[in-house]
Amino acid sequence: MVLKTEKESGYGSYHRLWQRTIQGFLLNGFLLSSATTLAMTLFVQGATTTAAKASVNRFCQVSQSDVETKESLRVAGLQGDAAAQQQYRTLSQQHIAEVQNCRQTQWPKNQAIWLRLYQCDLQPGRLDALMDRIVNLGYNQVYLEAFSNGQVLLPKNDNPTNWPSVVQADQYADRDLLAEAIDSARARGMDAYAWMFTMNFGYSYGQRSNRRQVLARNGFGADTLEFADQGNSGPSEDAFIDPYNRQAQSDYAQMVRAVLARRPDGALYDYVRYPRLTGSASVVSNVRNLWIYGPAANQALVNRGTNNKGKELIRRFLQRGYLTDSDVAQVDSLYPNEGEPLWQSRNPPSVDPKDLAPASARRPGLQEELWRLSVAHAIQGVVDFLQAGATPARQAGMPAGAVFFPYGNRSIGSGYDARLQHWNRFPNWMDAHPMAYGTCGNASCIVNEVQRVLSIRGNARTVKPAIAGVWGSARSNRPSLEAQMDALQRAAPQLETVSHWSFSWQDAEFDRERKFCQPSAQRPDLDILRSGNRMTPDETLGQTPAP
């Protein structure tokens, strides 16, 4: 595929626009010089005499002149200019209507952005500036990170969960950033979803002395936090729980209820899987590498045995990782009145104990069946935990969606992708949000990932892909968002919703300012911005798109 240049596409100039939007004006309560104030006043007076007519491009993005006018009015209104405040509200409503009308006529019907909020967003004017930028880019949905990395986006003084609040400053202890962000998004015509990690409870949770036993554990005695600390899986702050553990289920349900009490427009469940392992361990082919050795998961698997022989063979298989002929013979001797070992899904023909085949003949088949049972048990733990976590959203009448990797459910040779993210078994009443993050220099691998999900899922209205990239620029072997969107529209025009990872990628500098409570740069170098020679998202955040 030949990608359009920024000049040819028409959106590189827009992308540069909103980075340089009147950043010399007051953004967060910082004082302006008298000369700047005078210039600002004259500008606003001119803007208030003639109402700007909003216009959007084919991606529903607001024009450069309108963005600059709206931002200058917002800043002036923040300083107390009542006329500017009214003009700002009028122009904002005009932009909202333009974007909403555009989304009804342009593909896709819903365009969403993934957004992390920071404590600094509670400063005066920050949320308005943030949400304005999202509207300016043509989005009508925003996915707010509500629970991630061992923190929850609840007020410090109203946090009934087992996780610390994102907002820790005493001055904001009663402020509800999640609720305020939801209100701010809705005021601009956007749906606001609460985005929550699921099985990854975070480092802070794993460090609690009364919660360490809740973490998932493998057959070598390591829990997921220890495994991450040793560099064998994802980031060291990851801590995946045993989905069969009742304490984990209770803690998660409490957190979900508290987040949903803020009445978002929907709920998204991320990290619905086990850890992503490295090297050869990324494919699991031995039972001892499964995360089913925590006390709860272990006992639940043993309980899948439906007679004494079945339960005892499950115990021995878990303990050693395989069966011996002696195991089978000894179990036959222990329970001489039972025929075949039985467990859930195993229904062999009834055989009198005296007529059983020799242990050596039966052992290979029993071992293979126990391996498949163990994998199915691990997968079912993920599915059940997701369903329980998403049920409160369903009961509240909110859309609920599961976020997953399209290839997370693969079998590979005699093993399986270690994440065991079998999204094809997720509840069919949940929306599917596949993370189509493939990198192959063009959009073909991204399209292939989405089509894989569509071929299995069927109902395209419930398939809502997430893609990663930047408007107007190809990065890290990944096409621009324009190129990806065009390819998806050609291949799957039946899709109604596409989301973009993430807002921080669109303007890394602005994200850093929000994160560290910094004022915007007073005089951005426009030549640098136009050349695209600026800090990239990866350089600023040190992260990759892998929810």
Side-chain angles (χ1 to χ4, degrees):
M1 175 183 295
V2 178
L3 299 182
K4 294 182 179 180
T5 65
E6 291 185 8
K7 183 176 180 180
E8 291 170 333
S9 70
Y11 302 113
S13 61
Y14 174 77
H15 177 63
R16 293 188 296 270
L17 133 79
W18 69 282
Q19 293 178 313
R20 63 175 186 258
T21 301
I22 313 302
Q23 293 181 344
F25 299 145
L26 173 68
L27 180 61
N28 302 300
F30 296 93
L31 294 178
L32 301 171
S33 68
S34 58
T36 306
T37 303
L38 175 60
M40 174 76 170
T41 302
L42 294 174
F43 182 90
V44 172
Q45 287 175 347
T48 58
T49 60
T50 303
K53 186 179 187 305
S55 59
V56 295
N57 61 25
R58 70 185 180 98
F59 291 105
C60 303
Q61 297 168 338
V62 179
S63 69
Q64 173 173 347
S65 60
D66 278 357
V67 168
E68 292 179 344
T69 300
K70 181 170 65 176
E71 175 64 4
S72 65
L73 292 170
R74 185 193 69 79
V75 171
L78 193 62
Q79 296 179 86
D81 187 326
Q85 289 177 4
Q86 182 57 47
Q87 287 291 319
Y88 167 71
R89 286 192 291 267
T90 299
L91 188 54
S92 292
Q93 289 302 314
Q94 192 173 344
H95 289 171
I96 291 166
E98 288 284 340
V99 171
Q100 288 178 332
N101 291 337
C102 180
R103 291 263 69 98
Q104 295 302 312
T105 58
Q106 295 293 319
W107 184 92
K109 180 179 178 181
N110 300 304
Q111 185 169 269
I113 190 76
W114 300 81
L115 176 65
R116 171 173 292 179
L117 293 166
Y118 303 110
Q119 176 173 284
C120 306
D121 289 323
L122 288 169
Q123 291 182 336
R126 287 277 191 182
L127 273 180
D128 286 336
L130 173 61
M131 294 300 174
D132 280 353
R133 291 189 182 216
I134 293 174
V135 171
N136 294 342
L137 284 169
Y139 295 103
N140 62 342
Q141 292 185 348
V142 58
Y143 300 159
L144 304 172
E145 192 175 47
F147 171 61
S148 66
N149 300 324
Q151 294 180 304
V152 63
L153 195 62
L154 295 173
K156 188 176 180 180
N157 286 347
D158 185 19
N159 180 3
T161 77
N162 286 278
W163 291 272
S165 298
V166 171
V167 177
Q168 286 293 310
D170 290 340
Q171 68 190 97
Y172 299 136
D174 293 314
R175 295 282 296 276
D176 196 330
L177 180 53
L178 177 57
E180 292 183 33
I182 291 171
D183 289 343
S184 184
R186 284 181 181 154
R188 289 164 175 78
M190 294 187 290
D191 291 331
Y193 282 52
W195 157 35
M196 297 169 284
F197 285 14
T198 306
M199 288 176 56
N200 182 359
F201 278 21
Y203 184 84
S204 64
Y205 186 91
Q207 289 300 301
R208 294 170 62 106
S209 60
N210 61 346
R211 290 295 188 274
R212 192 65 183 251
Q213 77 283 359
V214 173
L215 302 184
R217 189 173 293 274
N218 64 22
F220 300 99
D223 63 38
T224 55
L225 188 58
E226 292 168 336
F227 219 67
D229 284 341
Q230 296 164 6
N232 296 319
S233 59
S236 59
E237 65 266 21
D238 288 353
F240 289 77
I241 49 85
D242 176 354
Y244 288 95
N245 189 285
R246 294 292 180 86
Q247 187 67 65
Q249 295 166 7
S250 175
D251 288 347
Y252 193 73
Q254 182 184 46
M255 183 277 299
V256 169
R257 287 193 299 269
V259 167
L260 298 187
R262 274 66 192 172
R263 304 300 302 171
D265 295 294
L268 297 176
Y269 297 83
D270 199 355
Y271 280 91
V272 192
R273 59 176 177 85
Y274 294 102
R276 176 205 296 268
L277 305 184
T278 59
S280 61
S282 63
V283 177
V284 59
S285 56
N286 183 294
V287 67
R288 297 184 72 186
N289 288 323
L290 293 175
W291 299 101
I292 57 173
Y293 283 81
N298 189 291
Q299 187 58 51
L301 179 52
V302 171
N303 289 344
R304 294 190 186 277
T306 55
N307 67 359
N308 290 318
K309 280 188 175 181
K311 292 180 178 179
E312 183 59 27
L313 282 181
I314 291 172
R315 288 192 189 95
R316 295 184 180 216
F317 180 69
L318 286 173
Q319 182 177 8
R320 190 182 290 113
Y322 57 90
L323 291 179
T324 64
D325 294 346
S326 295
D327 287 328
V328 179
Q330 289 171 9
V331 169
D332 284 340
S333 298
L334 283 172
Y335 305 103
N337 296 324
E338 295 183 356
E340 286 281 1
L342 301 176
W343 44 79
Q344 292 173 8
S345 77
R346 185 170 201 263
N347 298 295
S350 179
V351 179
D352 188 281
K354 300 188 299 294
D355 298 327
L356 288 170
S360 59
R362 293 156 52 216
R363 194 269 311 160
L366 289 170
Q367 179 170 290
E368 179 61 27
E369 289 187 56
L370 284 172
W371 163 239
R372 292 200 298 268
L373 174 69
S374 300
V375 173
H377 174 72
I379 294 170
Q380 193 61 46
V382 175
V383 174
D384 290 347
F385 194 85
L386 169 63
Q387 178 157 315
T391 293
R394 188 187 192 193
Q395 292 172 337
M398 298 178 188
V403 186
F404 58 85
F405 290 101
Y407 293 111
N409 63 343
R410 288 180 302 175
S411 58
I412 304 170
S414 60
Y416 299 86
D417 187 304
R419 294 169 293 187
L420 294 179
Q421 194 170 40
H422 282 240
W423 50 265
N424 50 299
R425 292 177 54 183
F426 291 172
N428 58 14
W429 48 265
M430 296 187 71
D431 293 331
H433 291 256
M435 293 177 285
Y437 294 161
T439 53
C440 54
N442 57 56
S444 61
C445 50
I446 296 163
V447 169
N448 290 341
E449 289 181 321
V450 174
Q451 288 180 326
R452 183 174 193 267
V453 176
L454 285 170
S455 69
I456 296 174
R457 183 78 182 199
N459 185 357
R461 294 186 62 186
T462 67
V463 177
K464 304 177 178 182
I467 61 176
V470 176
W471 290 109
S473 178
R475 294 287 167 82
S476 303
N477 210 29
R478 181 178 284 112
S480 67
L481 285 179
E482 290 94 333
Q484 294 183 55
M485 293 292 284
D486 285 344
L488 276 180
Q489 184 178 13
R490 289 192 298 269
Q494 68 272 36
L495 295 171
E496 294 187 358
T497 302
V498 178
S499 66
H500 298 157
W501 176 270
S502 65
F503 179 79
S504 63
W505 279 36
Q506 307 311 317
D507 190 337
E509 289 91 343
F510 182 58
D511 187 78
R512 182 175 58 185
E513 291 160 7
R514 292 172 46 236
K515 183 176 183 180
F516 298 107
C517 301
Q518 296 173 342
S520 291
Q522 291 188 0
R523 290 285 182 182
D525 189 325
L526 300 185
D527 290 335
I528 291 178
L529 291 177
R530 290 192 182 101
S531 70
N533 184 20
R534 58 188 176 83
M535 189 172 292
T536 67
D538 287 337
E539 291 170 338
T540 302
L541 303 178
Q543 63 182 30
T544 56

